Amino acid sequence: MAFLTLCILFLMAAGPSAGGSIPDAAHVSLTSPGDVILGASLPMHGWFSGSGPPCSGSLGRWGNEVAALLSFAIEEINNRTDLLPNITIGYDIRDNCYSETLSVWTALSLASTSERPQEDVEFTKISPAEYGNLFCIIGTQSSATTIPTAQAASLYRIPVISPFATSNELSDKRRFPYFLRTVPPDSLQAKAIADILLQFGWKYVGLYFQLNTYGIHGAQALLDLAELHGICVAFSVPVRSPGTKAELYDAVSRLAAFPKARVVVIISEVTAAGSIVRTIEELFGIPHNITFVGSDAWAFPSTMHANHGVDLRGLQGSIYVQLKYNQIPGFEEYFRYIETRDVTFSSWFQGFKDKWMKDNQCSDIALCPIRIAANDNFLVDAVYAFAYGLQDLLRDRCNDTTDCNSTIQAIRGQDFLPYLLGLRFQGLAGKYVFDVNGNPGGKYKILNYQFQDDVFQVVRLGEWEASEDRRLDVNLSAIQWVGGSRDPPASLCREICTSGHIEVPLEEKCCFGCQQCPNNAIVQNNLCEQCPVDEWPDASFQVCRPIVPTPPSWSEPTVVSILILSGLGLVLSLLAALGLFHYRHHVLIKAASRELSSINILGLTLAFLAPFSLLVPPTAVSCRASEIIVALCFTLTYAPTLLKVNRIYRIFDAGKKSNKPPRFMGPRSQLTIVLGVFAAMVVVAVAGTLASPTLPAKLIFYPPADYIEAFCKFGNGFLASLICNLLIVLVCCYYAFKARKVPSNYNESKFIAISVYSTLVFGMAAVPVYITAATVLQKVATLCVAILLNSFLTLFCVYLPKLYAILLARDVQVSEWRANDKTSSGTGSTGVQSTVGTSKVQPVSGAVGIK
Ligand SMILES: *[C@@H]1O[C@H](CO)[C@@H](O)[C@H](O)[C@H]1NC(C)=O
Ligand SMILES: *[C@@H]1O[C@H](CO)[C@@H](O)[C@H](O)[C@H]1NC(C)=O
Ligand SMILES: *[C@@H]1O[C@H](CO)[C@@H](O)[C@H](O)[C@H]1NC(C)=O
Ligand SMILES: *[C@@H]1O[C@H](CO)[C@@H](O)[C@H](O)[C@H]1NC(C)=O
Ligand SMILES: *[C@@H]1O[C@H](CO)[C@@H](O)[C@H](O)[C@H]1NC(C)=O
Ligand SMILES: *[C@@H]1O[C@H](CO)[C@@H](O)[C@H](O)[C@H]1NC(C)=O
């Protein structure tokens, strides 16, 4: 129900005498009465018109529409019964002529109404009584004019709410303590742009920005975010508007200097952006492969094309961030109403309407309605912010509505500001919550310029919202990229490293190449991490995996040979055992002690089995089995041998001295001794393997390879039984040496001597070879060969000749007889042997006999 009045204020200080300093146009005010007055600083006139005085430019459409929108919003609030009932809001709109300097004046003249009675103001249609308290100003149209407005108003501590000024500069609360806005600040737009860059992995981009507060602060915000998110801005070039051709060429030539920066962000108003894009099109031609990411201030393709000569095909694939405007319900009807009604809304509106009708050459406005461009929901939301803030304040300060008039008149800007900043309300643009800097959150539309069948169109991809989670929400499949491609362009200055490589910086700024890691290293956080010695990287070089050790292969010629020899040895042992059993009553066999020989052959059999246990893939069981088999096969082989050689020695030694037979010569006691020794060895071997077992181990190669071998690492227990065995062998050697004087026909002692000496030699040779062997096969083969050689030697030297002799000697009795016959003459080897072995007592006599 606002009663609209056009009020022309003649400020005394700016009267005709001082007209030189303040333009006449600035004395005109569009005012509506109310209990409270909302001030507004909006552009009505252009600043220049040729050589005319300031503010003599033509009346603009936008300013008039915005003024109508303000009036509409206030009337709507005044109509409401739930918002500020019984309180009328009025307004006072003044012209700033798009001028930063005049904005100071406009703001001061508005703000001072709360501090001083406007006695120097001549009201024509509105009485001073109808002019309520003014403690808030809305405006202005841009950041450039809002900055002086906010500064001037802050002198009077009057809050300024801007629906249009987006510059980050205004977020500085030390400089603009009384400023807040309903339009999202550019820092949010920079965030939206940064999120777009991140979404498509564009980490190497170029940046052009206009040299004004919008461009500089927008670019600064983007650069900060880029640094935070690891986006490299290859070049960042300011552009003046209007710039000279040389400047533009220089700026655009940066693109050629950074050919990998295929995405270019332009934060600029439409004029400067138009000249950059046009220059790029000139220099690189139209099918260039540059993707533009644009700020909202130049997302006007028709203006770019019509006013700046930009070929829109050069913008194909570009992505724009644009403020989200919502339709204002009811405004169009309201506008048409003031447009056509007889009572003029304002002299400015009337002036513009006349100009519009003249320009459009129509006599009736109904035939040429003014096109509505200022459908700006942020302005409506600013008016609502004022109303909600006032309501909150009054709720606190005056419960009793009858006494509210005095409270309202006493409100000061500094009382009101906290209520504005503390507001939470649902506006047309969404939910408003102001942060400490007076900035709201915000939403942007994300647009994509496309050509479908050679027709230019702007496609809405989705939106970006200033919330913590999932801010960018776009339909990726709807995007058309530069050149009509379906795949996003790459804007990176780094090679794509294959697995196993790390990125390393190159000399060129922000560019990366690849470097290969050592082949036993994985890549972690772009670092080469060496795997442990027994691990190897997987195919992706992400994790180290244990290397499966390779056991000796049974197809190796060496292994095959060893196995054949072992098999042969087993067969021979078996034959020897059979021969032994078959001729068990034969004098030769008896002479050599059947029991000891049996045990000896058992030891040999075990020794021929040892290679099999050594060559199977090492496991805890196989390793312990090998350890015990090897330890015991030596014991079983050499314990009887020791007894044999000891017996031979003692027989001859005793024979030298007396007729009394040496003790412990019987098979039973011999067997007992051997079994005793064997039992002791079993204890040693088992205790050894329990205390320090032989276990599977890995043989690691240097330099590291993806191949390691498994083998049985002999423990100290094995060493203990080896030492015991060595003692037995050494004692064998001792007696073999002592018995060396035994007549040569005592071939068994000779053969035993050969066997034990060679065991020592093989052992000595095998140990260093085993220790220094580089591969598991060498180690195992050394061990096997040493064991096999020993066993074969024993077999060939001790048993085969005996069996051979038995088989060849046709008549044992003859042989025996001949032996007896030849005893006296001192010849006949078999005879002596048989005599030695026949019985407990006879050998002594035999021995004595030959002696
Ligand atoms: C306010 O109410 C008046 C009277 O009901 C009506 O004519 C006018 O259109 C309303 N204005 C708005 C902006 O709603
Ligand atoms: C508005 O004013 C009328 C008349 O003065 C009064 O009856 C009514 O209660 C007031 N409404 C409120 C919400 O204060
Ligand atoms: C993009 O354009 C530049 C310059 O026109 C050219 O050097 C480059 O090869 C082009 N790249 C691709 C992928 O087409
Ligand atoms: C407003 O009213 C509430 C209760 O309705 C009361 O508690 C409060 O003190 C009042 N405040 C003022 C400023 O009168
Ligand atoms: C408050 O102002 C309204 C008009 O704005 C008037 O009708 C009313 O009488 C005033 N009340 C007091 C208590 O002054
Ligand atoms: C995304 O865009 C494609 C292509 O324009 C369209 O077919 C699809 O329906 C869109 N998806 C959504 C969720 O809007």
Side-chain angles (χ1 to χ4, degrees):
M1 268 289 286
F3 170 66
L4 297 171
T5 308
L6 175 68
C7 171
I8 302 176
L9 301 174
F10 285 102
L11 301 181
M12 289 322 238
S17 60
S21 49
I22 302 300
D24 290 347
H27 300 161
V28 178
S29 170
L30 174 56
T31 314
S32 154
D35 302 320
V36 290
I37 297 290
L38 181 56
S41 168
L42 297 171
M44 296 299 161
H45 291 87
W47 184 235
F48 289 114
S49 74
S51 57
C55 274
S56 62
S58 60
L59 282 162
R61 188 182 72 194
W62 188 79
N64 276 296
E65 289 182 358
V66 166
L69 184 56
L70 184 80
S71 155
F72 164 79
I74 289 176
E75 193 177 312
E76 199 176 60
I77 292 168
N78 285 339
N79 269 3
R80 281 173 66 162
T81 51
D82 58 333
L83 183 58
L84 296 174
N86 291 353
I87 293 169
T88 309
I89 304 174
Y91 54 81
D92 183 350
I93 302 172
R94 300 195 191 182
D95 186 4
N96 62 36
C97 298
Y98 289 99
S99 156
E100 292 172 34
T101 21
L102 192 60
S103 290
V104 180
W105 162 252
T106 307
L108 282 176
S109 70
L110 280 171
S112 63
T113 59
S114 63
E115 289 287 302
R116 61 187 173 107
Q118 302 251 321
E119 285 157 355
D120 49 352
V121 180
E122 211 173 89
F123 292 103
T124 49
K125 289 198 175 174
I126 181 171
S127 68
E130 290 176 307
Y131 196 97
N133 186 11
L134 187 152
F135 48 85
C136 183
I137 295 173
I138 284 191
T140 62
Q141 68 280 2
S142 72
S143 299
T145 48
T146 302
I147 288 168
T149 302
Q151 284 173 329
S154 71
L155 272 179
Y156 289 91
R157 306 202 198 168
I158 300 285
V160 172
I161 309 174
S162 178
F164 308 111
T166 57
S167 171
N168 293 333
E169 192 175 352
L170 285 158
S171 295
D172 185 347
K173 272 285 134 311
R174 286 166 308 172
R175 289 176 60 203
F176 307 101
Y178 284 84
F179 177 78
L180 67 164
R181 55 185 147 199
T182 48
V183 68
D186 291 338
S187 56
L188 280 187
Q189 170 166 275
K191 279 184 188 162
I193 291 178
D195 280 355
I196 289 171
L197 298 181
L198 289 172
Q199 166 83 46
F200 298 109
W202 294 328
K203 294 261 177 151
Y204 188 72
V205 300
L207 170 65
Y208 292 110
F209 61 95
Q210 190 175 351
L211 258 185
N212 62 3
T213 177
Y214 174 75
I216 293 170
H217 289 91
Q220 191 53 51
L222 182 63
L223 288 172
D224 291 348
L225 286 166
E227 191 174 336
L228 189 70
H229 291 113
I231 298 168
C232 181
V233 179
F235 59 87
S236 159
V237 180
V239 181
R240 288 195 312 150
S241 177
T244 64
K245 205 143 189 85
E247 282 172 354
L248 284 170
Y249 270 69
D250 183 51
V252 168
S253 66
R254 302 296 183 92
L255 271 172
F258 296 92
K260 296 217 165 144
R262 292 291 91 194
V263 169
V264 173
V265 179
I266 302 182
I267 299 180
S268 145
E269 282 158 14
V270 71
T271 311
S275 30
I276 295 169
V277 174
R278 201 186 53 244
T279 312
I280 287 174
E281 289 178 350
E282 264 173 53
L283 282 184
F284 297 106
I286 280 298
H288 62 66
N289 50 20
I290 295 159
T291 300
F292 297 101
V293 176
S295 64
D296 67 327
W298 65 285
F300 306 110
S302 52
T303 314
M304 292 282 281
H305 180 63
N307 299 0
H308 303 285
V310 168
D311 186 337
L312 290 180
R313 282 177 301 139
L315 292 175
Q316 187 186 28
S318 301
I319 295 201
Y320 289 84
V321 171
Q322 200 177 51
L323 280 173
K324 202 162 169 262
Y325 293 102
N326 297 299
Q327 281 290 312
I328 299 157
F331 176 57
E332 173 132 27
E333 293 79 355
Y334 180 83
F335 190 80
R336 297 296 165 224
Y337 173 64
I338 48 175
E339 188 182 60
T340 49
R341 74 175 170 173
D342 296 326
V343 184
T344 52
F345 172 60
S346 76
S347 63
W348 296 321
F349 194 88
Q350 188 60 52
F352 173 71
K353 185 175 146 188
D354 292 347
K355 179 172 169 281
W356 175 268
M357 283 166 56
K358 198 168 144 233
D359 289 352
N360 287 281
Q361 293 167 338
C362 65
S363 50
D364 184 358
I365 192 72
L367 298 176
C368 55
I370 298 169
R371 193 160 54 81
I372 302 173
N375 222 345
D376 196 311
N377 48 219
F378 299 114
L379 177 65
V380 176
D381 289 343
V383 175
Y384 271 89
F386 170 78
Y388 285 122
L390 181 59
Q391 174 168 268
D392 288 355
L393 184 146
L394 292 179
R395 189 185 299 126
D396 275 7
R397 300 214 171 176
C398 91
N399 271 357
D400 181 4
T401 45
T402 55
D403 197 23
C404 269
N405 288 4
S406 57
T407 312
I408 290 173
Q409 297 317 313
I411 296 173
R412 292 289 161 264
Q414 63 265 41
D415 307 325
F416 187 49
L417 181 70
Y419 288 95
L420 280 179
L421 289 173
L423 270 182
R424 285 168 174 273
F425 70 101
Q426 185 69 36
L428 284 173
K431 199 166 160 39
Y432 278 91
V433 180
F434 294 98
D435 69 8
V436 288
N437 293 327
N439 291 324
K443 273 185 190 168
Y444 292 93
K445 283 183 288 188
I446 308 295
L447 307 177
N448 181 219
Y449 287 6
Q450 304 189 351
F451 276 87
Q452 305 284 2
D453 303 324
D454 239 22
V455 177
F456 176 82
Q457 61 186 42
V458 178
V459 173
R460 189 169 157 183
L461 298 177
E463 58 185 42
W464 181 93
E465 187 169 3
S467 63
E468 284 311 307
D469 53 312
R470 196 153 184 273
R471 304 194 291 195
L472 186 63
D473 183 13
V474 293
N475 182 353
L476 297 178
S477 57
I479 309 179
Q480 185 187 62
W481 295 108
V482 64
S485 163
R486 282 281 145 200
D487 298 318
S491 197
L492 283 170
C493 191
R494 53 179 64 196
E495 290 174 43
I496 307 297
C497 292
T498 52
S499 51
H501 290 73
I502 54 167
E503 281 183 350
V504 287
L506 301 179
E507 260 176 47
E508 203 180 333
K509 182 190 170 195
C510 298
C511 290
F512 291 86
C514 298
Q515 191 179 55
Q516 188 167 17
C517 287
N519 58 3
N520 65 331
I522 54 169
V523 178
Q524 268 187 341
N525 303 326
N526 202 35
L527 287 175
C528 297
E529 298 279 354
Q530 206 102 14
C531 285
V533 283
D534 57 348
E535 294 188 2
W536 199 255
D538 66 352
S540 67
F541 289 86
Q542 303 275 305
V543 278
C544 292
R545 299 223 182 280
I547 306 171
V548 179
T550 314
S553 158
W554 284 39
S555 58
E556 288 273 339
T558 322
V559 175
V560 171
S561 318
I562 288 173
L563 292 178
I564 289 175
L565 286 177
S566 304
L568 183 69
L570 280 177
V571 171
L572 289 178
S573 306
L574 193 67
L575 287 179
L578 284 177
L580 217 60
F581 179 75
H582 190 261
Y583 298 107
R584 62 188 177 282
H585 301 302
H586 194 283
V587 61
L588 278 182
I589 303 299
K590 282 172 145 179
S593 170
R594 283 181 306 203
E595 296 78 11
L596 292 184
S597 298
S598 308
I599 292 173
N600 203 334
I601 286 186
L602 184 66
L604 292 180
T605 312
L606 213 52
F608 287 121
L609 282 174
F612 291 96
S613 76
L614 285 169
L615 284 168
V616 296
T619 62
V621 172
S622 84
C623 285
R624 291 184 187 211
S626 305
E627 172 181 13
I628 290 177
I629 289 175
V630 171
L632 295 187
C633 80
F634 275 104
T635 310
L636 286 179
T637 311
Y638 291 104
T641 307
L642 173 61
L643 282 189
K644 277 187 191 175
V645 69
N646 169 269
R647 200 177 61 149
I648 293 168
Y649 168 70
R650 279 197 300 160
I651 287 167
F652 285 95
D653 197 42
K656 279 190 235 168
K657 293 166 188 161
S658 73
N659 255 5
K660 205 171 148 221
R663 292 193 297 160
F664 311 122
M665 280 301 194
R668 187 160 302 159
S669 48
Q670 299 251 308
L671 204 60
T672 312
I673 293 171
V674 168
L675 289 181
V677 171
F678 180 67
M681 280 309 296
V682 168
V683 170
V684 168
V686 170
T689 195
L690 287 179
S692 170
T694 292
L695 288 174
K698 295 165 180 171
L699 186 69
I700 287 149
F701 296 94
Y702 292 95
D706 60 345
Y707 168 83
I708 57 178
E709 290 181 332
F711 73 115
C712 291
K713 191 173 164 62
F714 288 108
N716 291 336
F718 181 70
L719 203 65
S721 41
L722 212 60
I723 287 170
C724 293
N725 280 320
L726 182 69
L727 285 178
I728 295 174
V729 172
L730 283 178
V731 176
C732 274
C733 287
Y734 170 77
Y735 282 115
F737 180 75
K738 282 282 206 184
R740 72 188 185 284
K741 299 242 179 73
V742 172
S744 64
N745 45 14
Y746 260 80
N747 52 10
E748 183 159 40
S749 83
K750 286 269 186 310
F751 286 134
I752 288 173
I754 291 172
S755 158
V756 294
Y757 292 161
S758 56
T759 298
L760 267 187
V761 172
F762 291 149
M764 279 175 184
V767 167
V769 174
Y770 183 86
I771 289 170
T772 57
T775 70
V776 165
L777 188 61
Q778 285 172 14
K779 280 183 193 293
V780 174
T782 309
L783 205 58
C784 291
V785 166
I787 292 171
L788 288 178
L789 272 178
N790 267 322
S791 312
F792 273 116
L793 214 63
T794 312
L795 208 54
F796 280 115
C797 295
V798 182
Y799 293 101
L800 294 187
K802 206 171 293 188
L803 290 171
Y804 178 74
I806 293 171
L807 284 177
L808 282 197
R810 285 177 202 145
D811 189 341
V812 176
Q813 295 309 329
V814 170
S815 148
E816 206 165 357
W817 171 82
R818 205 187 289 158
N820 283 335
D821 184 45
K822 285 180 181 172
T823 311
S824 48
S825 68
T827 55
S829 61
T830 51
V832 173
Q833 247 184 339
S834 67
T835 324
V836 170
T838 330
S839 75
K840 282 181 231 167
V841 183
Q842 267 189 352
V844 180
S845 60
V848 171
I850 59 161
K851 179 119 185 148

